[in-house]
């Protein structure tokens, strides 16, 4: 159950946030500015490339890397294919995972390694493969880690990861699970949501230099400013009525969110939000793009998950029933809907089935980077508030093995 009264007590919210997640979301703008400076110091903005790569390959540990690849593809608008290299292994642990280059990868391709850990043996092996194939390699990872050293040894460019708050590391007891004890498996620390921007920003600067997308220094600074403004509006001291993060968290209590998006940037944000709600707040969520979402998930607006579920059993005693999930549509879009938008149809469908509706839209005249920043940061705040107000246990720690 959601303890919504916690939203009205900023001190209690901060006190309940043992992992520093609110701080992690709020500092995203500051980490972005630090990442801009580190990228410049590493020589990214001084690069004089001879041409564009044939393809971009992205590898790294955790959901945050998935979002990095997704956003790079969205910002590039399909100009160059962006491929996420998914790891294999028996355990979802850095030391147990392996990455492999596709057979076609070669000197014309660019490998981007983005990891907040930097101690993954599988990524070191991947860097060696890339060196043998002649791929250009750039990594964003903490300074002094094995991945950073391997990048330098293979004549790649490495950018230090912008530091954030000291992350929470689960104890040995909470980290242990079936098949883990004594196996050498080590649970990585919780990485706060602001880590996404520390990883993404240097790669945006790089891709701008390569002509893969448009992200000049002014756009990166505007993205950092938007993250700051979103943090000001969604912070714990702001009342729920004027706080879009708290409002969304309250609306999603007991709901199965259908994250329907319009536009490639909004779609990437929706997919990341679905992952964040599940892994950070322990809440299921489904992401789909409009207009296909109308058919692909339209059936979820009726029946057991619809607002009118159990209508035929109106007189049944529900006192002993467990709380059931009912769908709620969350529309994410990059700008106001135009004449060809499916948003209006989605609204009509929600109203027709009496399904509640939430909408996330960035401020008018937002560029792609600013739109992504506002959409993702607002949803990140909502996920953190859901986690805190539902009393998610640090013992079970739904975010304990994930990197955001």
């Amino acid at each position: 159950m959601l303890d919504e009264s916690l939203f009205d007590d900023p001190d209690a919210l901060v006190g309940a946030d043992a992992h520093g997640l609110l701080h992690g979301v709020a500092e995203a703008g500051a980490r972005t500015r630090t990442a801009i400076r580190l990228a410049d110091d590493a020589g990214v903005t001084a690069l004089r490339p001879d041409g564009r790569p044939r393809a971009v390959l992205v590898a790294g540990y955790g959901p945050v890397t998935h979002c990095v690849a997704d956003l790079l593809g969205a910002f590039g608008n399909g100009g160059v294919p962006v491929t996420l290299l998914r790891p294999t292994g028996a355990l979802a642990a850095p030391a147990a995972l392996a990455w492999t280059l596709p057979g076609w990868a070669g000197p014309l391709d660019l490998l981007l390694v983005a990891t907040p850990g930097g101690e993954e043996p599988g990524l070191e092996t991947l860097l060696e493969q890339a060196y043998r194939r002649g791929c250009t390699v750039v990594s964003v990872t903490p300074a002094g880690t094995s991945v950073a050293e391997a990048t330098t040894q293979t004549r790649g460019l490495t950018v230090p990861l912008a530091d954030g708050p000291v992350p929470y590391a689960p104890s040995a007891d909470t980290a242990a699970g079936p098949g883990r004890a004594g196996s050498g498996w080590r649970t990585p620390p919780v990485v706060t949501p602001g880590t996404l921007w520390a990883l993404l920003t240097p790669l945006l600067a790089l891709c701008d230099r390569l002509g893969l997308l448009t992200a000049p220094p002014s756009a990166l600074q505007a993205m950092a400013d938007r993250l700051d403004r979103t943090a000001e509006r969604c912070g714990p001291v702001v009342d729920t009525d004027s706080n879009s993060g708290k409002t969304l968290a309250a609306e999603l209590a007991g709901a199965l969110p259908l994250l329907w998006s319009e536009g490639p940037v909004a779609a990437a944000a929706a997919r990341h939000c679905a992952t964040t709600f599940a892994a950070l707040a322990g809440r299921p969520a489904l992401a789909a793009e409009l207009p296909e979402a109308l058919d692909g998930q339209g059936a979820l607006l009726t029946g057991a998950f619809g607002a009118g579920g159990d209508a035929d059993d109106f007189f049944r005693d529900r006192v002993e029933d467990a709380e059931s999930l009912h769908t709620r549509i969350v529309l994410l879009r990059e700008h106001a809907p135009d004449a060809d938008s499916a948003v209006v149809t989605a609204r009509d469908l929600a109203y027709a089935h009496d399904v509640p509706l939430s909408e996330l839209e960035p401020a008018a005249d937002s560029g792609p980077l600013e739109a992504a920043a506002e959409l993702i940061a607002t949803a990140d705040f909502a996920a953190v508030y859901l986690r805190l107000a539902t009393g998610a246990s640090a013992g079970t720690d739904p975010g304990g093995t994930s990197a955001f």
Side-chain angles (χ1 to χ4, degrees):
M1 297 294 292
L2 182 78
D3 181 11
E4 197 169 344
S5 64
L6 192 65
F7 292 165
D8 300 323
D9 190 341
D11 292 335
L13 272 174
V14 174
D17 187 16
H19 302 180
L21 297 175
L22 282 172
H23 185 194
V25 187
E27 65 153 18
R31 294 189 74 177
T32 297
R33 293 186 183 86
T34 302
I36 294 172
R37 176 179 56 79
L38 292 174
D40 185 63
D41 292 344
V44 170
T45 55
L47 290 175
R48 297 293 183 267
D50 294 331
R52 292 156 51 113
R54 175 181 61 179
V56 176
L57 307 170
V58 181
Y61 176 73
V64 68
T65 305
H66 295 203
C67 187
V68 166
D70 220 357
L71 286 172
L72 290 177
F75 294 143
N77 201 27
V80 170
V82 178
T83 302
L84 174 68
L85 301 183
R86 297 183 180 274
T88 59
L91 293 173
L97 297 176
W99 288 262
T100 304
L101 288 174
W104 49 263
L108 299 178
D109 305 309
L110 171 65
L111 172 63
L112 304 177
V113 175
T115 173
E119 300 293 344
E120 300 90 345
L123 289 177
E124 297 175 55
T125 302
L126 179 68
L127 290 169
E128 295 172 2
Q129 292 178 30
Y131 178 68
R132 291 195 299 268
R133 299 271 196 95
C135 299
T136 301
V137 175
V138 177
S139 69
V140 181
T141 190
T145 59
S146 59
V147 171
E149 294 175 0
T151 303
T152 301
Q153 292 170 1
T154 54
R155 300 182 181 178
L157 172 66
T158 181
V159 181
L161 181 70
D163 291 334
V166 178
Y168 163 82
S171 66
D173 293 337
T174 60
R180 298 178 183 176
S183 64
W185 189 93
R186 182 175 64 85
T187 301
V190 173
V191 180
T192 60
T195 304
L196 167 64
W197 308 103
L199 287 172
L200 177 65
T201 301
L203 299 181
L204 289 174
L206 171 69
C207 290
D208 177 74
R209 298 301 301 167
L210 296 175
L212 304 181
L213 49 80
T214 302
S218 60
L220 296 178
Q221 291 291 346
M223 183 176 73
D225 292 342
R226 183 62 58 88
L227 288 168
D228 283 343
R229 289 198 293 271
T230 304
E232 290 172 0
R233 294 197 305 270
C234 297
V237 299
V238 181
D239 293 338
T240 303
D241 291 343
S242 54
N243 187 320
S244 53
K246 291 180 180 179
T247 298
L248 182 60
E251 291 173 345
L252 296 184
L256 173 62
L258 303 182
L259 305 172
W260 290 1
S261 59
E262 188 169 60
V265 172
R271 287 187 286 269
H272 180 66
C273 292
T275 300
T276 302
F277 284 134
L280 191 61
R283 293 302 183 97
L286 301 174
E289 297 180 47
L290 291 169
E292 291 90 345
L294 300 172
D295 287 332
Q297 296 183 358
L300 294 173
L301 306 184
T302 61
F305 291 105
D310 290 333
D312 294 335
D313 195 11
F314 181 79
F315 294 102
R316 177 170 55 82
D317 185 0
R318 294 174 171 77
V319 173
E320 301 298 328
D321 287 358
E323 182 181 8
S324 60
L325 292 177
H326 293 292
T327 52
R328 183 182 191 98
I329 297 174
V330 181
L331 293 178
L332 294 91
R333 57 183 186 273
E334 301 166 28
H335 45 69
D338 54 28
D340 297 326
S341 174
V343 168
V344 176
T345 304
R347 289 172 180 160
D348 291 343
L349 187 63
Y351 298 150
H353 292 288
D354 197 25
V355 171
L357 178 73
S358 301
E359 300 194 37
L360 292 181
E361 178 185 330
D365 301 324
S366 296
L369 274 63
E370 294 169 284
E374 186 168 345
L375 292 173
I376 291 176
T378 301
D380 281 347
F381 269 107
V384 173
Y385 286 131
L386 266 175
R387 177 187 174 101
L388 300 180
T390 54
S393 170
T396 55
D397 193 10
T401 60
S402 298
F404 293 95

PDB file of all heavy atoms in Angstrom, residues 256 258 286 296-307 326-327 355:
ATOM      1  N   LEU A 256      -1.358  -0.840 -13.130  1.00  0.00           N
ATOM      2  CA  LEU A 256      -0.471  -1.450 -14.096  1.00  0.00           C
ATOM      3  C   LEU A 256      -0.252  -0.409 -15.194  1.00  0.00           C
ATOM      4  O   LEU A 256      -1.107  -0.218 -16.056  1.00  0.00           O
ATOM      5  CB  LEU A 256      -1.086  -2.720 -14.693  1.00  0.00           C
ATOM      6  CG  LEU A 256      -0.316  -3.360 -15.861  1.00  0.00           C
ATOM      7  CD1 LEU A 256       1.067  -3.795 -15.425  1.00  0.00           C
ATOM      8  CD2 LEU A 256      -1.094  -4.533 -16.447  1.00  0.00           C
ATOM      9  N   LEU A 258       0.526   1.429 -18.499  1.00  0.00           N
ATOM     10  CA  LEU A 258       0.756   1.199 -19.916  1.00  0.00           C
ATOM     11  C   LEU A 258       1.437   2.458 -20.438  1.00  0.00           C
ATOM     12  O   LEU A 258       0.799   3.505 -20.598  1.00  0.00           O
ATOM     13  CB  LEU A 258      -0.554   0.935 -20.651  1.00  0.00           C
ATOM     14  CG  LEU A 258      -1.408  -0.234 -20.131  1.00  0.00           C
ATOM     15  CD1 LEU A 258      -2.656  -0.389 -20.990  1.00  0.00           C
ATOM     16  CD2 LEU A 258      -0.603  -1.527 -20.086  1.00  0.00           C
ATOM     17  N   LEU A 286       4.370  -1.762 -18.729  1.00  0.00           N
ATOM     18  CA  LEU A 286       4.510  -2.192 -20.117  1.00  0.00           C
ATOM     19  C   LEU A 286       4.665  -0.972 -21.008  1.00  0.00           C
ATOM     20  O   LEU A 286       3.915  -0.007 -20.877  1.00  0.00           O
ATOM     21  CB  LEU A 286       3.284  -3.003 -20.561  1.00  0.00           C
ATOM     22  CG  LEU A 286       2.984  -4.279 -19.759  1.00  0.00           C
ATOM     23  CD1 LEU A 286       1.659  -4.888 -20.216  1.00  0.00           C
ATOM     24  CD2 LEU A 286       4.118  -5.280 -19.911  1.00  0.00           C
ATOM     25  N   GLY A 296      -2.092  -3.478 -29.823  1.00  0.00           N
ATOM     26  CA  GLY A 296      -1.262  -4.425 -29.092  1.00  0.00           C
ATOM     27  C   GLY A 296      -1.592  -4.536 -27.622  1.00  0.00           C
ATOM     28  O   GLY A 296      -1.456  -5.615 -27.033  1.00  0.00           O
ATOM     29  N   GLN A 297      -2.019  -3.433 -26.987  1.00  0.00           N
ATOM     30  CA  GLN A 297      -2.332  -3.465 -25.559  1.00  0.00           C
ATOM     31  C   GLN A 297      -3.755  -3.022 -25.264  1.00  0.00           C
ATOM     32  O   GLN A 297      -4.139  -2.905 -24.098  1.00  0.00           O
ATOM     33  CB  GLN A 297      -1.337  -2.588 -24.786  1.00  0.00           C
ATOM     34  CG  GLN A 297       0.093  -3.095 -24.858  1.00  0.00           C
ATOM     35  CD  GLN A 297       1.058  -2.267 -24.024  1.00  0.00           C
ATOM     36  OE1 GLN A 297       0.673  -1.279 -23.403  1.00  0.00           O
ATOM     37  NE2 GLN A 297       2.329  -2.674 -23.998  1.00  0.00           N
ATOM     38  N   GLY A 298      -4.552  -2.785 -26.302  1.00  0.00           N
ATOM     39  CA  GLY A 298      -5.926  -2.332 -26.095  1.00  0.00           C
ATOM     40  C   GLY A 298      -6.771  -3.296 -25.289  1.00  0.00           C
ATOM     41  O   GLY A 298      -7.645  -2.884 -24.518  1.00  0.00           O
ATOM     42  N   ALA A 299      -6.489  -4.594 -25.418  1.00  0.00           N
ATOM     43  CA  ALA A 299      -7.272  -5.589 -24.688  1.00  0.00           C
ATOM     44  C   ALA A 299      -7.059  -5.502 -23.182  1.00  0.00           C
ATOM     45  O   ALA A 299      -7.890  -5.991 -22.401  1.00  0.00           O
ATOM     46  CB  ALA A 299      -6.934  -6.992 -25.182  1.00  0.00           C
ATOM     47  N   LEU A 300      -5.963  -4.876 -22.754  1.00  0.00           N
ATOM     48  CA  LEU A 300      -5.697  -4.735 -21.318  1.00  0.00           C
ATOM     49  C   LEU A 300      -6.589  -3.675 -20.667  1.00  0.00           C
ATOM     50  O   LEU A 300      -6.604  -3.558 -19.439  1.00  0.00           O
ATOM     51  CB  LEU A 300      -4.234  -4.364 -21.085  1.00  0.00           C
ATOM     52  CG  LEU A 300      -3.205  -5.428 -21.466  1.00  0.00           C
ATOM     53  CD1 LEU A 300      -1.800  -4.877 -21.339  1.00  0.00           C
ATOM     54  CD2 LEU A 300      -3.366  -6.669 -20.593  1.00  0.00           C
ATOM     55  N   LEU A 301      -7.317  -2.920 -21.467  1.00  0.00           N
ATOM     56  CA  LEU A 301      -8.208  -1.901 -20.914  1.00  0.00           C
ATOM     57  C   LEU A 301      -9.544  -2.479 -20.480  1.00  0.00           C
ATOM     58  O   LEU A 301     -10.363  -1.781 -19.876  1.00  0.00           O
ATOM     59  CB  LEU A 301      -8.452  -0.797 -21.950  1.00  0.00           C
ATOM     60  CG  LEU A 301      -7.198  -0.140 -22.539  1.00  0.00           C
ATOM     61  CD1 LEU A 301      -7.597   0.994 -23.474  1.00  0.00           C
ATOM     62  CD2 LEU A 301      -6.284   0.377 -21.440  1.00  0.00           C
ATOM     63  N   THR A 302      -9.772  -3.739 -20.774  1.00  0.00           N
ATOM     64  CA  THR A 302     -11.011  -4.419 -20.384  1.00  0.00           C
ATOM     65  C   THR A 302     -10.661  -5.684 -19.606  1.00  0.00           C
ATOM     66  O   THR A 302      -9.497  -6.040 -19.459  1.00  0.00           O
ATOM     67  CB  THR A 302     -11.846  -4.784 -21.625  1.00  0.00           C
ATOM     68  OG1 THR A 302     -11.086  -5.679 -22.456  1.00  0.00           O
ATOM     69  CG2 THR A 302     -12.204  -3.543 -22.423  1.00  0.00           C
ATOM     70  N   GLY A 303     -11.647  -6.378 -19.132  1.00  0.00           N
ATOM     71  CA  GLY A 303     -11.421  -7.631 -18.433  1.00  0.00           C
ATOM     72  C   GLY A 303     -10.821  -7.441 -17.055  1.00  0.00           C
ATOM     73  O   GLY A 303     -11.078  -6.461 -16.371  1.00  0.00           O
ATOM     74  N   ALA A 304      -9.959  -8.387 -16.663  1.00  0.00           N
ATOM     75  CA  ALA A 304      -9.442  -8.418 -15.296  1.00  0.00           C
ATOM     76  C   ALA A 304      -8.638  -7.180 -14.942  1.00  0.00           C
ATOM     77  O   ALA A 304      -8.626  -6.744 -13.787  1.00  0.00           O
ATOM     78  CB  ALA A 304      -8.582  -9.661 -15.098  1.00  0.00           C
ATOM     79  N   PHE A 305      -7.945  -6.578 -15.917  1.00  0.00           N
ATOM     80  CA  PHE A 305      -7.108  -5.414 -15.637  1.00  0.00           C
ATOM     81  C   PHE A 305      -7.823  -4.098 -15.905  1.00  0.00           C
ATOM     82  O   PHE A 305      -7.279  -3.034 -15.615  1.00  0.00           O
ATOM     83  CB  PHE A 305      -5.837  -5.469 -16.487  1.00  0.00           C
ATOM     84  CG  PHE A 305      -4.903  -6.572 -16.083  1.00  0.00           C
ATOM     85  CD1 PHE A 305      -4.799  -7.708 -16.868  1.00  0.00           C
ATOM     86  CD2 PHE A 305      -4.141  -6.488 -14.937  1.00  0.00           C
ATOM     87  CE1 PHE A 305      -3.953  -8.736 -16.517  1.00  0.00           C
ATOM     88  CE2 PHE A 305      -3.290  -7.509 -14.574  1.00  0.00           C
ATOM     89  CZ  PHE A 305      -3.196  -8.643 -15.361  1.00  0.00           C
ATOM     90  N   GLY A 306      -9.008  -4.147 -16.484  1.00  0.00           N
ATOM     91  CA  GLY A 306      -9.725  -2.923 -16.808  1.00  0.00           C
ATOM     92  C   GLY A 306     -10.400  -2.313 -15.600  1.00  0.00           C
ATOM     93  O   GLY A 306     -10.543  -2.933 -14.535  1.00  0.00           O
ATOM     94  N   ALA A 307     -10.831  -1.073 -15.772  1.00  0.00           N
ATOM     95  CA  ALA A 307     -11.487  -0.363 -14.669  1.00  0.00           C
ATOM     96  C   ALA A 307     -12.797  -1.004 -14.286  1.00  0.00           C
ATOM     97  O   ALA A 307     -13.261  -0.890 -13.154  1.00  0.00           O
ATOM     98  CB  ALA A 307     -11.722   1.090 -15.056  1.00  0.00           C
ATOM     99  N   HIS A 326      -5.041  -2.483 -11.786  1.00  0.00           N
ATOM    100  CA  HIS A 326      -5.869  -2.026 -12.892  1.00  0.00           C
ATOM    101  C   HIS A 326      -5.032  -1.118 -13.773  1.00  0.00           C
ATOM    102  O   HIS A 326      -4.181  -0.373 -13.294  1.00  0.00           O
ATOM    103  CB  HIS A 326      -7.112  -1.287 -12.381  1.00  0.00           C
ATOM    104  CG  HIS A 326      -8.073  -2.175 -11.642  1.00  0.00           C
ATOM    105  ND1 HIS A 326      -8.789  -3.171 -12.250  1.00  0.00           N
ATOM    106  CD2 HIS A 326      -8.403  -2.227 -10.325  1.00  0.00           C
ATOM    107  CE1 HIS A 326      -9.547  -3.791 -11.349  1.00  0.00           C
ATOM    108  NE2 HIS A 326      -9.317  -3.240 -10.160  1.00  0.00           N
ATOM    109  N   THR A 327      -5.270  -1.211 -15.055  1.00  0.00           N
ATOM    110  CA  THR A 327      -4.447  -0.468 -15.994  1.00  0.00           C
ATOM    111  C   THR A 327      -4.638   1.039 -15.854  1.00  0.00           C
ATOM    112  O   THR A 327      -5.717   1.531 -15.537  1.00  0.00           O
ATOM    113  CB  THR A 327      -4.764  -0.887 -17.438  1.00  0.00           C
ATOM    114  OG1 THR A 327      -6.177  -0.806 -17.660  1.00  0.00           O
ATOM    115  CG2 THR A 327      -4.274  -2.277 -17.723  1.00  0.00           C
ATOM    116  N   VAL A 355     -10.775   4.217 -18.241  1.00  0.00           N
ATOM    117  CA  VAL A 355      -9.430   3.908 -17.761  1.00  0.00           C
ATOM    118  C   VAL A 355      -8.717   5.231 -17.434  1.00  0.00           C
ATOM    119  O   VAL A 355      -8.704   6.149 -18.256  1.00  0.00           O
ATOM    120  CB  VAL A 355      -8.629   3.136 -18.830  1.00  0.00           C
ATOM    121  CG1 VAL A 355      -7.161   3.003 -18.433  1.00  0.00           C
ATOM    122  CG2 VAL A 355      -9.235   1.759 -19.036  1.00  0.00           C
TER     123      VAL A 355
END
